Amino acid sequence: MPDTDDGMDGQRMARAAEPVELLVCTKCRQGMEAPEDAERPGTILCRALAEQGIEGVTITPVECLSNCSRGCTVALRGPGRWTYVYGNLDPAQHPDLIREGVTKYAATADGVVPWRERPEHFRKNCIARVPPLAPPAPNLGEM
């Protein structure tokens, strides 16, 4: 089989090795009223994810992802990757599901996990998909 690598596969692999960041809204209340000084579900979710960590992923608590009606909310981003925002997450039920989705996301060069390979909750609760600031150059051999 002839070698048809035009260098793009190497670029894709290099991007897949770049850092991924998981943003976790710590202000999320899951649509519930709570006293200001009470620990919020978003904070509980962030702690649950940080306790075990996710290899190659930075977990960053953020004040608000502006998805209050569909919280708890997380966002996935990385250099040259699409950013995804997911909601309706439960701090008790979803940490392992989030780890699975983040691991699949981190294994891609562009952040796009094929729809059927995403955890079902991610498929049904995607709030937004935002293109990368500097999209990767297209592989002209695939056009």
Side-chain angles (χ1 to χ4, degrees):
M1 186 172 223
D3 182 12
T4 59
D5 182 12
D6 60 357
M8 292 304 292
D9 287 339
Q11 288 177 2
R12 286 189 184 112
M13 290 173 64
R15 268 197 311 275
E18 289 189 35
V20 167
E21 186 174 25
L22 172 65
L23 306 173
V24 183
C25 179
T26 59
K27 294 293 185 182
C28 286
R29 297 182 192 193
Q30 285 185 302
M32 299 181 290
E33 286 298 318
E36 281 300 314
D37 61 345
E39 186 172 52
R40 297 185 182 193
T43 300
I44 295 168
L45 177 62
C46 188
R47 185 175 52 251
L49 292 165
E51 282 174 355
Q52 289 188 1
I54 306 168
E55 187 176 340
V57 176
T58 300
I59 300 170
T60 305
V62 295
E63 290 277 326
C64 184
L65 289 173
S66 197
N67 189 42
C68 300
S69 65
R70 293 181 68 191
C72 295
T73 302
V74 300
L76 290 166
R77 68 181 179 182
R81 289 182 165 92
W82 285 79
T83 296
Y84 285 85
V85 180
Y86 297 106
N88 292 321
L89 295 159
D90 184 282
Q93 295 179 359
H94 294 131
D96 288 339
L97 173 137
I98 294 167
R99 283 185 195 90
E100 175 191 354
V102 173
T103 299
K104 289 180 178 185
Y105 177 87
T108 69
D110 59 4
V112 180
V113 176
W115 190 81
R116 292 190 186 279
E117 293 177 23
R118 297 175 194 168
E120 184 176 353
H121 189 88
F122 278 21
R123 293 188 300 225
K124 293 183 177 183
N125 292 279
C126 184
I127 307 304
R129 177 179 178 225
V130 182
L133 285 175
N139 181 348
L140 298 178
E142 293 177 358
M143 294 181 87

